[in-house]
Amino acid sequence: MARHPSRLLRAVGTGIGVLLSTAVFSQTFLGPTPYLSRNDSPFLSSIIAGTTFLETFEGGSLATPGVTASAGSVIGPGGLTDSVDADDGAIDGSGTNGHSFFSGSGPGGITFTFDAVALGGLPTQAGIVWTDGAGMTVFEAFGPVGVPLGQIGPVAIADSSNFGETAADRFFGVTNAGGISAIRISNSSGGIEVDHLQYGAFSAAPLPTLSINSVSANEGSSGTTAFTFTVTLSAASASTVTANFATSNGTATAGSDYVANSGVVTFTPGQTTQTITVSVNGDTTVEANETFLVTLSAPTNATLAVAQGTGTIVNDDVTAAPPAAVVTPVPTLGEWALIMLALLLGGSATIALRRRMH
């Protein structure tokens, strides 16, 4: 590994590295700062209090609960091990007598993922110590459902040796009140060694909320019409969210106007919308608009914001018009005169005919 003193000073500076934030969260990135023992951790007080786990890998494995690694395994002591300086019992500039977590691909990096179910929530602070590798180093962090929080780096912290020297060991960390689902560290060439994984200070983030909309549609003249209600989760959750739902009568009656429905609506991690469908019976009866209700209840991992939606069945039938009446036209005065003239002429002709016959 190559040391670049001038770049190292610029990278370390006041202890806050290059931060590229890709999401709007209350996150703070820490490092890269020198690290020789747990006393150099910015999370020391919560480590001592027992609210933050410290995994030193000195037990020979990744054994802390609720954490998985994307690559690598524990190595040491001896050989090319580059552990945190104090892990062998003395701060003496050598890390070969301790354990570290190693992966053969620095560019591939190592991602440590935190299981919210196993841990009872996501950690609000997490960090790792980079102890060996080559090229440029990058630390990344992710919030709930894998949303990127940002990164530190690339920074030049590599020295020219892989024989356990500890002067280049650096701490990278992040805090985020909304939770941290994973951290990732990588370097641009060679293998990668890390040590002293730390995570914790768990706090319950505000639960997302559930809302259901209302639906209005024509009932149809036959068969059934699907009324589709949308249930919305205010924010994606790292946990599965459920709620019961059930229909109930308003002015409409189950069985005749619509088909009763009930069950459970489920959001898997990352989902924010689900639907509930109620079948409305069509008919040709003229009636007023009618309503029924869909109600959410008993949510898990969420609270209810809008718990009830209204289905409005719009009448689309019309009253048949009565048959048209037959209207006999009334003669006008002129028409009456012609009729009378015709009658008189007809009468005169009849009288003249009778006289001739006699």
Side-chain angles (χ1 to χ4, degrees):
M1 297 180 289
R3 172 179 290 178
H4 304 282
S6 61
R7 282 192 287 176
L8 176 59
L9 289 174
R10 289 199 300 272
V12 175
T14 61
I16 304 297
V18 180
L19 169 61
L20 301 176
S21 178
T22 57
V24 180
F25 285 89
S26 56
Q27 75 272 12
T28 300
F29 281 77
L30 307 168
T33 51
Y35 191 103
L36 300 179
S37 73
R38 75 167 192 166
N39 292 334
D40 295 319
S41 171
F43 307 144
L44 179 61
S45 61
S46 59
I47 292 173
I48 293 172
T51 58
T52 291
F53 291 99
L54 172 62
E55 172 60 90
T56 66
F57 304 111
E58 294 309 307
S61 64
L62 173 57
T64 47
V67 183
T68 56
S70 63
S73 60
V74 176
I75 63 169
L80 299 178
T81 304
D82 195 347
S83 181
V84 164
D85 198 332
D87 283 353
D88 59 4
I91 297 178
D92 54 9
S94 174
T96 58
N97 290 322
H99 293 77
S100 63
F101 198 89
F102 172 80
S103 172
S105 175
I110 305 171
T111 300
F112 293 95
T113 300
F114 307 110
D115 185 333
V117 175
L119 295 171
L122 292 175
T124 58
Q125 59 188 34
I128 192 73
V129 178
W130 181 94
T131 62
D132 207 356
M136 307 294 284
T137 303
V138 174
F139 173 81
E140 303 165 83
F142 304 88
V145 203
V147 175
L149 295 175
Q151 70 182 54
I152 298 173
V155 293
I157 55 177
D159 61 21
S160 59
S161 174
N162 57 1
F163 290 99
E165 287 85 357
T166 60
D169 295 358
R170 292 290 182 270
F171 172 87
F172 294 83
V174 64
T175 65
N176 182 53
I180 301 161
S181 63
I183 57 174
R184 180 178 183 273
I185 193 162
S186 61
N187 44 249
S188 57
S189 63
I192 183 171
E193 281 186 74
V194 294
D195 206 345
H196 279 222
L197 171 67
Q198 39 209 272
Y199 58 98
F202 304 97
S203 64
L207 292 175
T209 60
L210 288 167
S211 300
I212 186 170
N213 71 332
S214 293
V215 176
S216 179
N218 291 340
E219 65 179 351
S221 298
S222 62
T224 59
T225 299
F227 278 44
T228 301
F229 295 79
T230 299
V231 183
T232 303
L233 190 63
S234 62
S237 174
S239 303
T240 297
V241 172
T242 64
N244 296 337
F245 72 87
T247 55
S248 60
N249 292 344
T251 56
T253 302
S256 58
D257 297 311
Y258 71 96
V259 179
N261 192 10
S262 63
V264 178
V265 60
T266 301
F267 297 78
T268 58
Q271 291 183 318
T272 56
T273 59
Q274 289 289 5
T275 58
I276 297 170
T277 300
V278 178
S279 295
V280 169
N281 298 322
D283 61 38
T284 56
T285 303
V286 178
E287 54 195 346
N289 294 346
E290 297 174 308
T291 61
F292 63 91
L293 304 173
V294 180
T295 304
L296 304 177
S297 63
T300 61
N301 297 317
T303 58
L304 295 176
V306 180
Q308 196 169 78
T310 300
T312 300
I313 305 171
V314 178
N315 174 66
D316 56 359
D317 303 305
V318 294
T319 303
V326 177
V327 178
T328 302
V330 177
T332 64
L333 182 60
E335 291 172 332
W336 275 117
L338 292 173
I339 293 171
M340 292 301 295
L341 179 60
L343 290 173
L344 289 172
L345 291 174
S348 298
T350 301
I351 292 172
L353 179 61
R354 287 177 178 174
R355 286 177 177 174
R356 289 185 189 139
M357 292 178 65
H358 293 286

